[in-house]
Amino acid sequence: MAGAVEELLKKRAELTGQRQTLEQQIKQIDGDVAAIDQVARLFDSSILPTTTPRKRAPAGRSPFSGENLSAIVLKTIREAKEPISTAACSAAIARDKGLSGDDPFLRTMPSRISATLLNLEKRGRVRQTGTVDGRKNLWEIAR
């Protein structure tokens, strides 16, 4: 059973790497297209740039699709050696999920983690143990 899990994790890492490579290729192509548009406008100012509209990530693209976010957050807090901030919890989960630094999901992730933590606090599963810089809450498993 452990061998199957290791193979799945290897395959996941491989696919994540392929995805990051493709994202880099798309950025390069977008830059090349923009450069061509710019040069074409030098010859004919009536040429309009061909822009590709930014698309929102499809609903099913969330890295948590089919997973229990509360369980992921609890696991992350349990593995932390000391109380952890919402931002640190988000960063640890993003790292575990293999999210790239430009993934659009990273913008909404801290608010989702924060909402999950507040829900877990209401259920008595986690508690706030102080703050960092007087603003950021620190969280730990409620014992």
Side-chain angles (χ1 to χ4, degrees):
M1 178 89 145
V5 172
E6 289 174 9
E7 289 299 317
L8 286 172
L9 292 175
K10 269 195 241 180
K11 184 63 176 178
R12 185 186 191 292
E14 176 187 328
L15 291 172
T16 300
Q18 288 176 359
R19 183 178 187 281
Q20 289 173 347
T21 300
L22 290 171
E23 286 175 347
Q24 289 170 349
Q25 289 175 351
I26 289 169
K27 283 182 184 177
Q28 179 64 46
I29 290 169
D30 285 347
D32 292 347
V33 168
I36 290 169
D37 287 346
Q38 207 169 21
V39 171
R41 279 193 303 278
L42 289 174
F43 292 103
D44 183 355
S45 61
S46 67
I47 294 175
L48 297 175
T50 56
T51 58
T52 53
R54 293 196 49 82
K55 296 180 184 175
R56 290 187 70 180
R61 193 189 157 287
S62 167
F64 304 119
S65 293
E67 293 186 58
N68 182 342
L69 185 54
S70 293
I72 294 169
V73 169
L74 286 170
K75 176 182 175 278
T76 303
I77 292 174
R78 251 185 234 107
E79 291 174 351
K81 304 283 187 238
E82 53 193 23
I84 187 171
S85 70
T86 303
C89 186
S90 294
I93 292 170
R95 193 174 45 253
D96 289 347
K97 290 290 179 185
L99 299 179
S100 62
D102 60 347
D103 192 303
F105 188 74
L106 289 178
R107 284 178 281 165
T108 61
M109 193 166 157
S111 62
R112 287 189 65 190
I113 301 301
S114 180
T116 301
L117 284 163
L118 290 172
N119 189 337
L120 288 168
E121 182 182 36
K122 286 178 189 175
R123 293 174 21 211
R125 304 288 307 274
V126 299
R127 66 175 173 218
Q128 295 180 23
T129 61
T131 60
V132 176
D133 301 333
R135 299 178 335 175
K136 300 175 186 171
N137 292 324
L138 292 173
W139 300 91
E140 69 179 4
I141 298 294
R143 292 176 170 84

